[in-house]
Structure formats: C-alpha cells, structure tokens
Amino acid sequence: MAATPDRSDPPAALPPAAPAAGPLAELSSVVGVSRPPVPLDQVDLRLLALLAADARVSQRKLGRELNMSAPAVGVRLARLERAGVIRGYTVDIDWPAAGYPLQAYLSITATANLGEVLRAFHAIPEVEDVAVVAGSMDLLARVRLRDHAHLRSLMFDQVWKIPGVTRTETFLSLAEMPAKEFTRRLVEERARVAQNSQDPGAAP
C-alpha cells in the first residue's frame, strides 16, 4: 500500500517559467550600445572642431592650426577613431538639391517585437534615422522623399506591410531652417565647459 503523503510537506518546486517575449524582448540586440564618455583634452576638442568645419582638411594643415606635427595629429586621430569618438568621415548632402525635397516624420505604434519592427524600418532606404521613444508612440522615423506620390508608395508598399505596425501618423515638414554647424558648435561648447571646470575663475 502506497504511503499517504504528509500534507505538511511543502509542494514540489515548479520549474521556472520562461520569460515572456514582450515587445522589448529583442530591442537590445538591435539598438546601438551607448559608449561611456571618453576623456578628451583641449587639443582633442579643438581637433574635432576643425574636422567638423572641414572633414577633408589635411593632417598637415591640422598640425599648423594646433602647433603640432602632422604625425602627432595622425596619432591623435587614430586614438579618437579607436575610442569611437570619430566614427567616420562623411559627405554632407543637400537632399533637396539631390532630388529629395520632401522630409516627413513618421510616428509608429507597434504591438509586435519592437526589435523586428526597428530592423524593418532601418532597412528602408528612404528612412534617414529611426529612434525608440517614450510616450504615446513607440518609434519615430525621419524619411526623405521625392514627392507626395513617393510618400504614398512608401506607406502602402513598405511601412503598412511591416508585421506588428498597428498605427502610424505622418508629419510633413513644411519648411526647415538652414542647417547650422551643430557638430562644431557643440564641440566648442564642450571645450568651454571643460576649460571652465579646470579654471574656476574663468568668465562664464
């Protein structure tokens, strides 16, 4: 005869439940990893500002501006590239002049895995950039287009066919201010803050 189990014994432990595959499950495998701040001195910051003004400037000319030799500038550039501060040297295109005068922003709400939706948007050539945002939407994408027919084709043939996209809202850019020298000015502001932190008596 089988023994009657003691009702005072604790129940057998259940195997741990598999984690639920929520909308954010694969997001970390898609978005870039934030790098920790890299220590930059005033020479580094001045070098970055000069490159932001003209990425094609020669190391010899950079050396003259910084009172350094061209090889020393090359060493600085290589270190900044290895650290990920300089990610590349690109051309700044005037998109209206290149045939893409229409800019729009798409707000996207998705119920499926955001990682897959993000990959799908990133693969669309017209998408200039896409960000995961907090608030009433999940993603915000900026797109460059030839005209309204191009926008309609983009939405019908690509965006609304992405699995998991449940709602979109389109914001057309009616006008844009001329691009400012954002990179150079922000680097110079970073240099000013760094200089003031080293010299408490410096003027604000």
Side-chain angles (χ1 to χ4, degrees), residues 110-127:
T111 56
N113 187 298
L114 277 186
E116 292 300 324
V117 176
L118 195 58
R119 284 192 186 94
F121 271 96
H122 193 264
I124 297 174
E126 294 90 345
V127 173

Side-chain angles (χ1 to χ4, degrees), residues 5 8 47-48 155-156 203:
S8 63
L47 178 57
L48 292 174
M155 301 303 293
F156 286 175

Side-chain angles (χ1 to χ4, degrees), residues 66-92:
L66 298 169
N67 294 319
M68 299 171 61
S69 67
V73 170
V75 170
R76 288 263 180 173
L77 289 174
R79 180 174 60 80
L80 292 171
E81 291 168 1
R82 287 195 304 270
V85 176
I86 296 177
R87 296 184 299 184
Y89 304 85
T90 61
V91 61
D92 183 13

